[in-house]
Amino acid sequence: MANSVTMLKIKTFADYQNEYKQSVENPEAFWEEKASHFTWRKKWDKVLNWNFKDYDVKWFVNGKLNITENCIDRHLPTKGNETAFVWESNFEDKPNRVITYQQLHDEVCRLANVLKSFGVKKGDRVCIYLPMIPEAVFSMLACARIGAVHSVVFAGFSAASLSSRIQDSDCKVVLTSDGSYRGDKTINLKSVVDEALETCASVTNVLVYKHTGASVNILSGRDIWWHDVVPQSSDRYEAETMDSEDMLFILYTSGSTGKPKGVVHTCGGYMVYTCYSFLNVFQYNPGDIYWCTADVGWITGHSYITYGPLLAGATSVIFEGVPTFPDAGRFWKVVDKHKVTHFYTAPTAIRALEAAGLNYVSPYNLSSLKVLGSVGEPINEEAWHWYNKNIGKEKCPIVDTWWQTETGGILISPLAGITKTKPSFATLPLPGVQPLLVDEKGNEITGNNVEGNLCIKFPWPSIIRTTFGDHERCKQTYFSTYNNLYFTGDGCKRDENGYYRITGRVDDVMNVSGHRIGTAEVESAINMHADVVESAVVGYPHDIKGQGIYAYVIVPSTQKNHDILRKEIIAEVNKVIGPIAKPDKIQIVSGLPKTRSGKIMRRILRKVAEGEISNLGDTSTLLDPAVVEEIVKTRL
Ligand code: WTA
């Protein structure tokens, strides 16, 4: 059965149409056949149990497996010496690291043994707070190998954010490094972990990888250097037997209210779907070199750096740096150097590199490229055309992949070279995915050339299973807005040919440089500043970031200079969340537009932030219309 996952690949548009039809008419038979291409220790008793009302979804019921056996062991007989990953450092003159499938196996097993020696058991949670180095992938897989649940936290989040994530899921161990490099910056990650752990009683051990050589505190009994224990450990570890529905990982993501929630994915369905979607969307062939520029701290890194490509036995580039270091040609230089065939990035990076100019593109030979991908936010037409013309040389299909942390894998996207593309359209659903558009009341909007809120009416194998520790929240957030539907939170158009175009969030979630940030989270961080009485945050169109963060802040007659105040507020947000949530604009106001019942009218604040002040709509329900005049007058 080794490598038979490549048989999952659709080859023509007619195949796609046929698979799609089968997947809707008989989803269970469809996914049963797909799942049969993987290595299971015990076959499932039933393909699917589902209920969107009380939200309960189980795929491949009672099936037993270990995902790492499918990511690694099954490839060893044929691909042991082939490259799983090539690592490209932040610094271009640093040598690459090449990790074969056999080496990946050995590293993962060593680390699995170390985790076991820390007393980590099946079901325990392990936090991973690492830069983009191969050890981040080893860590995820080592957890999966022993049946521990990983919770990767993006290494740009602050100590406070890290701490609340560790606490929420009661992590026992943290895997981190002394520091990280991002462009010309060096960050001392260990000190962030130290600060976070002051408020996390559950953590018994911290394993520290030496990467930057920064001096760090080693707390005796708790902190252990990676190089003191990992290389000496056995490179064998018999993978734990997991149930299809055992938790594989938790990944925290922002919503429109409250703290970030821990989205839970489980082993069986996630494995089948990430592999199936990877192979089909990218049309990866043996010998291709795939590069996804995301960070493993986000879902894209989980599904399309770690799991999907490894399940498919692919060769990938892992990149530690940023697109603009040492200059805006870095991505193209790396493509040239490693002869990358599949390149997957975010629109915000494309826009930033477009702005830098073609002088950064032209020195490099990009002829190895076959497929380009986009993810994380709507790609505007201009960026799409620039990408197509200057990077793909009009020869590479662009797969505009729409999906979410909660969906686990790509749901709407062209299949490279198979689906006819259309700029800024994610085009058609993958087999097994049944999208529909609804109006505000939840009535289905049928026909084409229509617009509505995007829902999905049938489960796919990698759908979110729960939000960690709070199933009710999962039910409320995704399955209660509309009866019997999964609600995505996105607005969407369907054109005359049935192609989907995602227009952006319809809730209070912003999408800043492809990162999801809840307005409520930023507001609560701003409100931590002692001088701030109240704040309201909205997104506004931003040339590079897609959306920027606009904050209205009430500060009562302070003596402080407003520029100093703004700097302090930004520092507060950095401290509470991290630099990604830092407001781009802070307008100091004396009041916020509220209804008589005290609700902030965000619609008005959004319009002012967007600069659409000529038509603010109905303001008659406002408690104090004069507030609006002031806000318009002092807008930034
Ligand atoms: C947005 C990222 C338009 C969308 C994988 C979604 C997109 C949110 C696209 C999820 C796309 C993602 N076109 N919008 N191709 N891909 N989005 O959870 O608003 O970080 O709801 O997952 O990003 O963000 P998340």
Side-chain angles (χ1 to χ4, degrees), residues 253 298-300 374-379 400-406 426 488-490 502-505 511 514-516:
T253 190
W298 311 110
I299 192 69
T300 306
S374 171
V375 60
E377 50 176 319
I379 177 164
D400 176 1
T401 63
W402 173 83
W403 57 299
Q404 309 178 295
T405 306
E406 296 85 344
T488 63
D490 280 325
I502 283 64
T503 51
R505 302 290 304 193
N511 191 325
H515 301 318
R516 255 167 87 163

Side-chain angles (χ1 to χ4, degrees), residues 96-130:
N96 296 123
R97 287 171 64 188
V98 174
I99 291 119
T100 64
Y101 273 91
Q102 183 64 53
Q103 287 166 335
L104 179 66
H105 170 272
D106 297 354
E107 291 297 337
V108 168
C109 288
R110 288 191 186 103
L111 192 50
N113 281 305
V114 170
L115 290 176
K116 238 2 208 211
S117 75
F118 290 161
V120 178
K121 295 186 299 296
K122 180 173 173 177
D124 285 346
R125 273 79 59 204
V126 171
C127 176
I128 300 173
Y129 189 71
L130 278 167

